[in-house]
Amino acid sequence: MAEAMRSDGIDPAVLAGNESNRAIAAEIAAIPLAPKLPRRFWWGFAAFFTIGLLFLGCVSYLLAAGIGTIGLNVPAAWGFLIVNTVWWIGIGHAGTLISAVLLLMRQNWRNSINRFAEAMTLMAVALAGTFPILHLGRPQYFYWLLPLPVTHMPWPNWRSPLVWDFFAIATYIIVSLLFWFMGLVPDLAILRDRAKSRGKQRIYGFFALGWRGSAYHWHRYRIAYYLLAALATPLVVSVHSVISLDFTSAIIPGYHSTIFPPYFVAGALYSGFAMVITIAVPLRHFFGLEDFITLKHLDNAGKVMLASGAVVAYGYLCESFFAWYSGDQFERYMMWNRMFGDYAWTFWFMLACNVGTLQLLWFKRARTSPWLLFALAFIINTGMWVERYVIVVTSLTRDFLPSSWQNVLPTWVDFGILFGSLGLFFAMMFLFVRLLPLMTIFEVQELKHELKEAQ
Amino acid sequence: MPVTDKDMREELAAAEPARFWRSLEERARTPAFRRMLDAEFPEIAERYATATDRRTALKLLGASLLMAGMGTAKAAEGIAPYVEQPENLVPGEPQFYASTLNERGYGMGVIVEAHEGRPTKIEGNPNHPASLGGTDPIMQAAAFSLYEPTRSRTVLKGNEVATWGAFQAEVAELRERALLQGGAGIGVVIGPNTSLTLQRLFSQLQQAMPALRFYLSDPLAGTPRPYAVLPHFDEAKIVVSLGADFLGEGPGRLAAARGFADSRRVRAGGQRTMSRLYCLESIASLTGAKADSHLLVRPSAMDETVARLATAMQSGTGDDAFTTALVRDARAAGNGLLFIAGERESAFVHATAQRLNQPSAGITHTLIAPVATAPADSGSLYDLVTDIGVGAITSLFVLDCDLMHSAPADLDVGAALEHVSSLYHHGLHVDETARKADWHVPATHDLESWGDLRAFDGTASIVQPLIAPLYQGRTIAELAAALTGDFVSSSLDLTRATWAQLDDAGWREALKRGVIADTAAPAITAPPLAEIANPVQEAAQIDVVLTPDPFLDGGTHAANLFLTELPRPLTKLVWGNAAELAPATAQTLGVATGDLIEIGIDKQVLALPAFISPGQAPDTVVVPLGFGRWTGEDSDTVGTNAFPLRRRGNAWLLAGARVKKGQGSGRIITTQEHHAMEGRDIVRDVPLAAIADEGPSAQEPPSLYPPYEMPEEAWGMSIDLTACIGCNACVAACQAENNSPVVGPDEMAVGHDMHWLRVDRYYAGDPEAPETVFQPVPCMQCEDAPCEVVCPVNATVHTHDGLNAQVYNRCVGTRYCSQNCPYKVRRFNFFQYQDFDEGSPLSLLMNPNVSVRERGVMEKCTYCVQRISAARIQSEISDQPIADGAVQTACQQACPTRAITFGNIKDKQSAVAREKTEPHSYALLEELGTRPRTTYLARVTNRPDEDKGNG
Amino acid sequence: MGRIGPYSKGNAVAQVFSSRANQIVYFVLYGALVLIILSPTIWIVLDRSFYHTGQFYALEQPAPFSHAHHVGEVGLDCRYCHQGVETTASAGLPATEVCMTCHSQIFSDAPILAPVRKSLASGVPLVWNRVNSLPDFVFFNHAVHVNNGVGCVSCHGRVDEMPLTWQEMPLTMEWCLGCHRDPGPNLRPESAEFSMDWQPVGDRKKLASELMAHFHIDTRTMTDCYACHR
């Protein structure tokens, strides 16, 4: 048995302490069920929610005053909002990877981090979904991208990557939601049973869908959960590939590049895991979850980042190489402009963040010191956002005819929406932590159980 | 009838013009009609203070019909038919009338398109010598200035609203008194004006009041000459411009441009020779841009250089490449030699040009007596101020000019006008001069008034109104008549009286053709040459030279935002002027584009933002005139007024001007920020000698797409870069035809401009003496259009005849199409640019056949699809195929040099198909495989260093 | 793998939900399902409803003009009042004077004609309410239709049977395109353009193809967006 376990690659280090199942349940369920949380929790929430309001404010202004209020012009008709979309979708990917792919690969160490990673995915993708609509000139007609049975006969142009996009993102949101909820059911039942107040019992109870944890339930549950996982797995690859097609299939130098699909997916995981760490480190610190989110987790996450980051770096290399090797004057100028043009600093900043800091992750020391990792993750996420800016905006400002070249500057609305969306995201994470178990209680118990047997 | 058919337009123009007018006129006289208007449009009636005025009433008729057309479709939308249908007005059908526009006093013949009595679009009149069917941006913008909202609307006494009647009474009284002393004490200030009616009235006035004095205010006047030169470019083998921008300015520029372009239209099958243009200039100009060889000299060195050139012509040896080549060519050209001296060059330059021209007189040019623009003995502004000073002038009439704006610094017009006991102002706007006046009478717009004007060659034509005056406007003639004691005659009567020799048939003919037969000025023999010594000009460290803005005519059109926002041909500047200087000069001054430059004369100091503009002469700062004019309460002043830099005898080249870098920076708004082609194959040159005998040289690149099938017509366009002079008439025409909005400086600054067609300007070679090339870029209407693939909602799709149609009402505004357009010709409504306020007079300007686009919608050049549809519908009805030339795009029709050819490329005989088979025809960025329907004819060069053997 | 975790055994915890709770869940789930299936159907129906298209609804008019009387009984030709229909984009409404050419003679003092007389006297036009109304971004041209075998009835219906005029056809894009894609069945010979009661005789299909050929109708040219939107 023990051998079997090791062959499963479970490292005892993934869980510390040795609570009983009840204790585990108690510890994790404590947070959502606690009558009140320490004041600083609410201060944190209030801070982020205030920033979140900035998002709502700027969006309302944008809708009222028109798309001209954000930094766009005719060579560069796409701006911050598209950059945000790509970035947020990328963030989302980590969640799906952890929960679905690692589940199928029986990487049980994932068990204590998948729940909030999924929550993160859900919120990131939901946010990402709003930007393309806000970015329309006439957002009120976004539904014209659907084949509608109405008399004025709107019909999608199936050749357009934006249509693929539309469906890709929609699918992603739905699947992530189902997967996340599916995973919650048994825990909701636990909360239901541990809840003291009738109100909580009813609410948690309603969503627990009458789960009693019978063998029969578990049997059904496993099948369904693994099926969903299998469904979600291809999305990890497909969604961001489709997004990248928005650029790849355009003819603009800097967009028109075959390397994009793999390189976008890698980038997505890179930034995604960075975000997981950005969330995990404070969580384990403030809620004393060092026993559940152990250094082992951080170490693994660090390794994934190292791998995906390396692929991204390779992507940069390829892009530059092909630009030169193609011999195409437009491609060459594009790359030259990225490196030495008006926006050169963004390019070098991107390299510094995404390739430079990456090197630290070669060292176990770095991977296992939480706050250093946290800092790296933060820098890398910034770098990844800038990467998308370099691709989306700087390419546009210098295209084929020099006569139409023009730089573009973001407005305060752009920044308002970007930072506002971050605020909203973290505010929602706070609510999630408050209302739901931030780890899969039963899976952690299971893991514990297996480890016990392993010894 | 196809509204876009050129012949048809002429024919329509010829259609009994006066009747529609008259029938409405008659109706207007009936009280019933006036009651109808009050009842039918009360809201409009009260919007215009004077709605009961019968003339305003006529306009309201037009307004109402427009609004019926533009109102949004509601469940119960009111539709009001006529009570009595006006004769020959068919609702929904445009009408065309010949008329004449006034440009600095000279006549430009036009054909005006009107919808239900509202003029919406100006076209050139092919019969008129100054137009030959072409137009310039100013003409295209005329309809805009008609509806321009800040126009003066009522007669003012002081600041009180008064009436024309009251003004007449005032004038009558003044007249009583004045007659006793033969008009002593009365002064009349006029701008240049060639109208014979005015000249008739003025001479009457002078007979009645011998002591009455006329003063001419012509701030843009050039060097006076006893003759005018009419060039014949078809005969000239070698054209030499001595600081002359004959393509860019002057009342004859359109004719010159046509003649010049025709003399250089080289085709494999046809004409194989072209004239060669030598250009000696100090201010970058359209002419300089077309020169085959050009030499930049600072203004203060012009006379000296011309003198050296003259001696070289005799000695036969030049001391620089330019002169050497010129002398060689001149010898070879014999009599085919044409020297043109610039309007504002010194008398010496003119005399020299004249002497060098002598041998080819009558061949490459003819001389005529200059067309009179003012009464013979008119005084200058300096005389006016002196006369006022000594109390010789007590009552002053300022007719249609803004003295306060254009006065030089050493002339305190303001104070002088204060001294005049009664000042009467007449003009389109309540400008600074009007504010000083005791009385202000609104002027009529050319499209509202009867009158006559003479063209640069003396040909007279009638100014025919398309619409009754929108406000209480009066013509200068009516004011002059009032002074002569005629208070009843309308401007129609006055004009008719001038042309009494025309019987009704002759009059009608004149209105139809838009010109009065045999009124061109006769040729004269060259006047005896006065030998003028070469005046030595002391050279300052930096020359400061003024030049008229190409579009604002010294401030006349300052309120015309359509022109303010039109990119200047060379600098691409909009919404303001700048101190333009060559890169090296900027370096010596230590300024970059945008930095303020301080230009000082005496105590006067003017600060303008610098703009580095290659092609300006070394050590020279060029400042355009015409900006900074205040045109009434609700108007903003645009740019800096440079007139105050002037001194007596210092009109253009400002002697003793100090130039230094100023503090801070000013706003520069330009539509093109990059001026080099970056080694890309964008504008192609081909030496004359290198043109093959048959084409096409460019093979279509291979494509994976199937060849494009052409079931019926296949619309295509060819643009001849040799003929294009970069004047921007096409851009203006496109904007006027397609209801493109004016977006304002802030939007232009961030690159939200809405011109569907743009003229790209690139510099090549040495930045200190660059070669300047122009390239008009409309939508290429690609057969394999990148934009169509990516639109998620099928808002941009291909039509059977090869148009790349943009469906505004389908567009959701992803802007992906614009992203994917390699030519970046798509324009996006980032805000609600279109003024949907039907209360604004500008709503009358709209072309009812083109959708008015809303916020968030992409738009672009459509090859004027509304004109194509009109032609198609006619052909569907008549079952006749669309004839070649039946569809003209707005840009094509406006082009003075006929650089744009449009038509059905499937018909191999069509003009455009033949253009496309020329060896020097090429497609822009053809390596992208977009298969553009718009192609270019490479720029044929004829540089002196090109000819081996021939030359 | 059996039960892990402390789920409530039996009545360890009091019953949270009544036994009917399940039905609520089922209701919600099935309700959602039904809604998802139904909503497009509702959309399809509503979008084509007379309420939405405004068909068969006779608007109030300043004077109760009856096509039934003028066309059906008196037998006036359409072109008598709608003069532009054969030559221009808009069919045109009759000027007041056109009404009065007859009504100065007959019913010259009928009370229902008072508004018309008033209009002529005062010079104030009658302001009719538009019955067949298209959006501003649609450029419709009567002449091209009337000259190519599309009769008045095809779009306006039997006006000779309308006491007050109403909109007969949906005038939706779908409806326009239906004919633009396959005009044949709606075509009629020139002679019948303005007839109210023309009925095709013989083989309709054959007639259709004959007329298509006769009017040189090429549907490729009729489905371009710019045919209606400019």
Side-chain angles (χ1 to χ4, degrees), chain A residues 396-420:
Chain A
L396 291 171
T397 55
R398 298 285 183 276
D399 67 340
F400 294 97
L401 295 182
S403 62
S404 43
W405 289 357
Q406 193 167 17
N407 292 351
V408 64
L409 288 175
T411 67
W412 60 270
V413 183
D414 284 306
F415 287 108
I417 290 179
L418 170 59
F419 293 119

Side-chain angles (χ1 to χ4, degrees), chain A residues 63-65 68 72-73 77-78 135 137-138 144 152-153 155 157 160 246 250-252 396 399-400 402-403 406, chain B residues 680 750 752 760 762 788-792 794 809-816 819-820 824 830-831 854-855:
Chain A
L63 294 177
L72 301 170
N73 59 24
W78 285 3
H135 191 256
R138 302 201 293 175
W144 285 1
H152 63 94
M153 311 169 83
W155 202 255
N157 170 11
S160 167
D246 289 346
I251 65 174
I252 300 301
L396 291 171
D399 67 340
F400 294 97
S403 62
Q406 193 167 17
Chain B
R680 301 179 180 187
V750 291
H752 292 178
D760 289 347
Y762 297 104
E788 288 168 7
V789 188
V790 296
C791 174
N794 283 315
N809 43 303
R810 249 316 122 87
C811 177
V812 298
T814 65
R815 301 185 293 290
Y816 202 172
Q819 301 290 70
N820 216 24
K824 288 291 176 284
F830 286 95
F831 287 110
E854 78 162 13
R855 182 180 100 186

Side-chain angles (χ1 to χ4, degrees), chain B residues 869-891:
Chain B
S869 310
R872 158 172 308 291
I873 285 170
Q874 286 314 316
S875 82
E876 297 277 354
I877 291 173
S878 61
D879 279 330
Q880 299 301 320
I882 303 174
D884 187 32
V887 183
Q888 271 190 310
T889 63
C891 48

Side-chain angles (χ1 to χ4, degrees), chain B residues 36 71 77 79 800-801 851, chain C residues 123 128 130 136 224 226 230:
Chain B
M36 152 191 154
E77 170 194 354
I79 33 177
H800 78 282
D801 47 7
S851 298
Chain C
W128 302 95
R130 193 181 285 281
D136 289 353
D224 287 335
Y226 82 73
R230 285 158 216 162

Side-chain angles (χ1 to χ4, degrees), chain B residues 509-714:
Chain B
E509 179 64 14
L511 290 174
K512 282 181 189 173
R513 299 195 61 251
V515 288
I516 303 174
D518 339 308
T519 43
I524 58 170
T525 51
L529 286 171
E531 195 55 53
I532 299 178
N534 172 8
V536 255
Q537 279 154 320
E538 82 291 352
Q541 186 227 352
I542 299 273
D543 287 346
V544 178
V545 62
L546 302 176
T547 180
D549 177 82
F551 300 153
L552 297 190
D553 268 357
T556 317
H557 305 300
N560 190 324
L561 303 184
F562 189 107
L563 289 173
T564 322
E565 188 163 296
L566 194 64
R568 296 323 189 240
L570 285 156
T571 58
K572 298 296 166 193
L573 282 175
V574 294
W575 289 99
N577 54 344
E580 300 162 18
L581 67 181
T585 322
Q587 230 159 23
T588 36
L589 286 173
V591 292
T593 290
D595 297 351
L596 282 185
I597 285 191
E598 279 181 6
I599 300 169
I601 291 188
D602 312 343
K603 294 175 301 304
Q604 202 80 27
V605 174
L606 202 68
L608 292 98
F611 183 77
I612 295 178
S613 150
Q616 306 294 7
D619 305 321
T620 307
V621 173
V622 180
V623 181
L625 287 171
F627 291 89
R629 179 172 169 225
W630 186 86
T631 56
E633 292 307 336
D634 40 15
S635 69
D636 326 332
T637 312
V638 178
T640 317
N641 181 8
F643 280 112
L645 286 175
R646 282 186 165 180
R647 291 292 178 283
R648 184 189 285 264
N650 246 353
W652 301 104
L653 173 58
L654 306 177
R658 308 179 305 273
V659 184
K660 69 175 179 46
K661 185 177 192 299
Q663 293 307 315
S665 62
R667 195 177 197 188
I668 291 280
I669 307 175
T670 162
T671 57
Q672 187 179 342
E673 296 182 349
H674 293 261
H675 312 311
M677 279 185 268
E678 303 288 341
R680 301 179 180 187
D681 192 13
I682 295 170
V683 176
R684 296 188 188 173
D685 278 5
V686 49
L688 175 58
I691 290 200
D693 288 347
E694 71 287 315
S697 60
Q699 286 309 322
E700 284 232 319
S703 169
L704 295 175
Y705 292 98
Y708 193 80
E709 61 176 276
M710 308 173 179
E712 288 198 345
E713 300 85 7

